[in-house]
Amino acid sequence: QQQVKQSPQSLIVQKGGISIINCAYENTAFDYFPWYQQFPGKGPALLIAIRPDVSEKKEGRFTISFNKSAKQFSLHIMDSQPGDSATYFCAASMKGGSEKLVFGKGTKLTVNP
Amino acid sequence: NAGVTQTPKFQVLKTGQSMTLQCAQDMNHNSMYWYRQDPGMGLRLIYYSASEGTTDKGEVPNGYNVSRLNKREFSLRLESAAPSQTSVYFCASGGRTSGTGGTQYFGPGTRLLVL
């Protein structure tokens, strides 16, 4: 119930292509869904986040699509660039309690030039 | 504004040795967290502190202890290191009660190798 399942584990995309990473959850109490980006040797950093009252959020080339009924959310990276090559983590948390984030296992994205 | 800082950056220990990982944040956040990151396992919560003076276990607390020294500092202690504790350790701060809307801010990590 506390898990967030992320796929694929790795993804290779050509420059200019669209990268899509998917996550699914079971716990309907989750109400905050962030995506973190991590470059090698660095700590994760927030990329974009969504709450379940909207179905889509866009920031530049990054878009989160959220399907509340299916309990799924995904990250789309448009016009993928080599500089986007990193590991991406989806996560979820719920109101109240400890504010703990539950993370997916990560997707290593490689964008080839 | 340094954000979240961690020391040391890298450490090698022998089995059975002890050490303390230090973390400090200058963003006045109430909540602080310790995670470990292992290949293919994502980020797993070890311990967290919702406010100064309180600590709670996360998903993988065995073999670790923590101290919330004050609002800024949250340390992680390995009393008797084991090879299974070889990992990258991240400290984070933030969250809804810290006024960040749920965002956690991560430090640069400590890479620990236990031989």
Side-chain angles (χ1 to χ4, degrees):
Chain A
Q1 272 260 320
Q2 286 291 87
Q3 285 185 328
V4 176
K5 294 183 179 178
Q6 183 172 348
S7 63
Q9 194 171 355
S10 63
L11 182 61
I12 300 175
V13 173
Q14 292 300 117
K15 180 182 174 182
I18 303 173
S19 304
I20 302 174
I21 304 170
N22 300 299
C23 285
Y25 64 98
E26 289 295 323
N27 192 339
T28 55
F30 287 144
D31 70 343
Y32 173 69
F33 301 90
W35 284 89
Y36 281 79
Q37 179 187 54
Q38 184 182 29
F39 293 106
K42 304 292 185 184
L46 179 72
L47 181 64
I48 186 172
I50 197 167
R51 297 193 186 276
D53 51 344
V54 297
S55 60
E56 187 175 281
K57 183 174 181 180
K58 185 176 181 180
E59 289 184 3
R61 295 183 295 108
F62 301 90
T63 300
I64 299 179
S65 297
F66 186 81
N67 186 328
K68 190 173 181 179
S69 60
K71 292 184 284 186
Q72 295 174 347
F73 58 110
S74 59
L75 176 69
H76 296 237
I77 307 175
M78 310 300 288
D79 187 25
S80 299
Q81 299 296 312
D84 297 331
S85 296
T87 299
Y88 293 81
F89 294 96
C90 62
S93 73
M94 66 184 82
K95 231 191 293 193
S98 64
E99 311 177 17
K100 291 182 289 186
L101 280 173
V102 178
F103 283 88
K105 293 190 176 182
T107 297
K108 184 175 181 181
L109 172 66
T110 303
V111 182
N112 288 329
Chain B
N1 229 2
V4 179
T5 57
Q6 293 183 237
T7 56
K9 286 189 170 62
F10 182 70
Q11 184 73 44
V12 179
L13 290 179
K14 294 181 181 176
T15 296
Q17 286 185 317
S18 63
M19 78 162 295
T20 299
L21 283 65
Q22 306 285 356
C23 173
Q25 53 96 5
D26 62 1
M27 295 176 280
N28 202 37
H29 291 158
N30 294 321
S31 300
M32 297 184 73
Y33 312 83
W34 276 105
Y35 294 89
R36 61 178 288 173
Q37 183 176 31
D38 303 291
M41 299 297 289
L43 290 146
R44 293 182 293 170
L45 184 65
I46 305 171
Y47 270 94
Y48 63 96
S49 170
S51 61
E52 187 178 349
T54 68
T55 61
D56 281 292
K57 295 178 181 179
E59 182 186 352
V60 288
N62 291 345
Y64 305 96
N65 285 301
V66 290
S67 295
R68 183 74 182 267
L69 304 168
N70 48 56
K71 192 171 186 179
R72 289 188 64 248
E73 298 171 289
F74 189 37
S75 63
L76 178 72
R77 183 158 178 86
L78 286 71
E79 291 291 351
S80 178
S84 60
Q85 294 178 304
T86 292
S87 189
V88 181
Y89 292 85
F90 288 101
C91 177
S93 73
R96 301 177 207 219
T97 63
S98 299
T100 68
T103 302
Q104 291 182 16
Y105 296 87
F106 284 77
T110 294
R111 283 144 188 82
L112 176 65
L113 174 62
V114 183
L115 301 174

